[in-house]
Each structure stands twice: as C-alpha cells, then as structure tokens.
Amino acid sequence: MNAIVTSMIANLHAKPEAVSEIVDELLYGMVVRIIEVVDKNWIRIQTAYRYEGYCQKDNFQVDDAKTDIWLQEANYFISQSFADVLQEPRIQSTKMMTLVKGSIICSMTIGELDPEWAAVQLVTGEIGYVRRQWLQEKIPENSLSEQQLRENVVQTALSYLATPYRWGGKSPLGIDCSGLCSMAYMLNGVYIYRDAKIVEGFPIKEIPLEHIQKGDLLYFPGHIALYIGDNFYVHSSLAGNEVNINSLDEQHQQYRKDLATSITDVGSLFK
C-alpha cells in the first residue's frame, strides 16, 4: 500500500515507539510505501529515497488510488520557509494549515484570481490559497544542465542558513547535516542517500578532492557538508548549533581544523 503524508511534519522513528530515536522527517504531501502495518497506531514505511522507519499511522492518508493521482497531479512544492494555506485569497482569511519548505502541493486553476495568490488542493481534496511566490514547480529529474543544477543545489542549501540544528530534521524548524544536503538535491529533482555516506545504488559517486566543484559533497566521520565554491562549504553543524558556512582554507577565519583535516570522501553527481 502507498500513503500520502497529511501532517505538516511526520516523524520517522527507528522503532515503533514515540520515545524512540527520530531518524528522519517526512513533509506534507510526500508519498511513502507501507512495508508493514505494525498495529493500529504504527506502520513501517519506505520513502521515495529508500529510507525506512516507523511512523504513526494518523500522519497519513492510506489509499493507493488517491496516491497515484497525487503523484501525477501534485506538481508544486513550498519554496518559502513557512506558508499558511488560507480558506480565501486574502491575508485576513482563516488558516487551514501551515506548510514548511519542501512540502508538496497540487496547484489548481480556478477562474480569475488575483495574481498574488494561487489556489491549491490539499491531500484531503480541500481547496485553499497561498501566496503565488511561495510556490515552485517541481523540477523533473535530469531536466537541468550540470551548471544549473550545481548552482541551484548551492542556492537551495544556502536558503537554510541559520536554521537550527535538529537531529533527524529537514525543515526550516530544524535540520541536520544530511537533511540539509538531501533537501538541497531533492528540491532540484535528485534523490541522494539520506545519511552521511556514499551508498551504492544512489547517484553520488566518489571523486578526488582536487576535482571538487560547487554542489559536490564533503564527507567526514558522521557528518556531511555541501561545497559552495572558493574553499567554502555549508553544513548543519551540531557544534555550531545551526546551518552555517565554514572554510577549508586554514588562513581563513571560518576555517575548522577538526573538519578540514578529517575528510573521508568527496562525492559528486557528475563523475
């Protein structure tokens, strides 16, 4: 069975227990495959990027037919940190729900509408309205040139600057190192592995450090960062408590020796 996330954020746990480790977050509108129904409250799921864990069932709409339609028609994602879905296209209207950056939504065409607003359909079928500038059309896989994809990935990662560090997080409410890098790629049409390592079967391949270009990935023991050019990299750092920028240049004030001297791998989508 397949299902669609209906909560703003659904926690993915290591075990079917609310107190167990949160290993990932699923954002509104994402589609998952149900591997196992554990009990009336918990299901074991696999994400589109092949990550597995346990979620509480009430975070989802479980329906294969509706999921198939959603996959075809949910053609936009939220590009703003947060976006309220309102009942009417005016700022004073009642809020239906709040979505975070990366949430997937279906954009609708409804008569004549103020160009400032866009009509959207929620998973439930309800129609709401969001600011048009906060919607971005999904980017199909392999639709961008190498140069454009590299630039997009960097700019997407930088859009999370100063986001607090959150273990397992991947939203503007809080994000971890691999959450940042995977979202930077996912929002540009590419699924990479969710953790801080290169895994066979995913598109990131190992390259020499001297070949690194913007958009490539730096791997450290238990950590990952995204290279943005000129010896700088952006990462969600537990030590820094947030998404920030550091340098590989030992002469620069943003140099971090602990990371610059412990690089284990460099990965690239383009090898």
Side-chain angles (χ1 to χ4, degrees), residues 121-220:
Q121 184 179 51
L122 299 175
V123 176
T124 57
E126 296 173 282
I127 304 298
Y129 299 87
V130 299
R131 299 292 185 96
R132 187 175 299 277
Q133 66 186 38
W134 295 348
L135 284 182
Q136 182 174 322
E137 195 167 4
K138 276 187 180 179
I139 298 174
E141 188 176 2
N142 300 320
S143 64
L144 299 176
S145 67
E146 176 178 343
Q147 182 180 359
Q148 187 62 66
L149 180 57
R150 287 185 182 276
E151 189 61 41
N152 279 19
V153 166
V154 167
Q155 293 307 315
T156 302
L158 291 175
S159 73
Y160 288 90
L161 275 175
T163 298
Y165 183 90
R166 174 188 281 179
W167 181 268
K170 65 180 188 193
S171 86
L173 286 169
I175 201 163
D176 66 10
C177 62
S178 56
L180 174 68
C181 294
S182 62
M183 286 302 292
Y185 273 91
M186 188 186 302
L187 295 181
N188 288 288
V190 179
Y191 289 125
I192 67 171
Y193 189 60
R194 170 67 168 88
D195 286 345
K197 57 184 176 182
I198 297 175
V199 172
E200 188 75 28
F202 285 85
I204 301 298
K205 307 298 181 186
E206 187 177 352
I207 63 168
L209 178 59
E210 56 268 26
H211 292 171
I212 196 168
Q213 298 182 54
K214 61 167 56 179
D216 290 338
L217 299 168
L218 288 161
Y219 294 86
F220 314 87

Side-chain angles (χ1 to χ4, degrees), residues 15-178:
K15 298 177 181 179
E17 303 165 358
V19 295
S20 75
E21 177 190 355
I22 295 174
V23 296
D24 193 11
E25 291 179 336
L26 309 176
L27 308 182
Y28 184 91
M30 289 183 171
V31 169
V32 303
R33 182 171 69 87
I34 298 175
I35 300 172
E36 174 190 2
V37 176
V38 179
D39 56 35
K40 66 177 182 179
N41 297 316
W42 289 91
I43 53 176
R44 183 168 171 238
I45 64 97
Q46 184 184 65
T47 68
Y49 43 94
R50 306 205 298 276
Y51 215 67
E52 295 184 11
Y54 298 87
C55 277
Q56 295 191 43
K57 191 176 180 180
D58 59 9
N59 288 304
F60 300 90
Q61 181 179 91
V62 181
D63 188 308
D64 273 336
K66 288 182 179 178
T67 301
D68 288 343
I69 294 170
W70 185 257
L71 282 169
Q72 294 173 31
E73 297 183 354
N75 46 2
Y76 283 78
F77 66 84
I78 300 297
S79 58
Q80 177 74 0
S81 294
F82 307 96
D84 288 339
V85 180
L86 305 177
Q87 285 187 346
E88 298 175 23
R90 57 189 185 90
I91 201 66
Q92 302 90 346
S93 182
T94 303
K95 180 181 71 175
M96 299 171 71
M97 72 179 305
T98 300
L99 301 178
V100 297
K101 185 183 185 77
S103 300
I104 298 168
I105 201 76
C106 185
S107 180
M108 310 286 290
T109 301
I110 297 182
E112 291 188 12
L113 191 62
D114 185 322
E116 184 179 347
W117 293 92
V120 295
Q121 184 179 51
L122 299 175
V123 176
T124 57
E126 296 173 282
I127 304 298
Y129 299 87
V130 299
R131 299 292 185 96
R132 187 175 299 277
Q133 66 186 38
W134 295 348
L135 284 182
Q136 182 174 322
E137 195 167 4
K138 276 187 180 179
I139 298 174
E141 188 176 2
N142 300 320
S143 64
L144 299 176
S145 67
E146 176 178 343
Q147 182 180 359
Q148 187 62 66
L149 180 57
R150 287 185 182 276
E151 189 61 41
N152 279 19
V153 166
V154 167
Q155 293 307 315
T156 302
L158 291 175
S159 73
Y160 288 90
L161 275 175
T163 298
Y165 183 90
R166 174 188 281 179
W167 181 268
K170 65 180 188 193
S171 86
L173 286 169
I175 201 163
D176 66 10
C177 62
S178 56

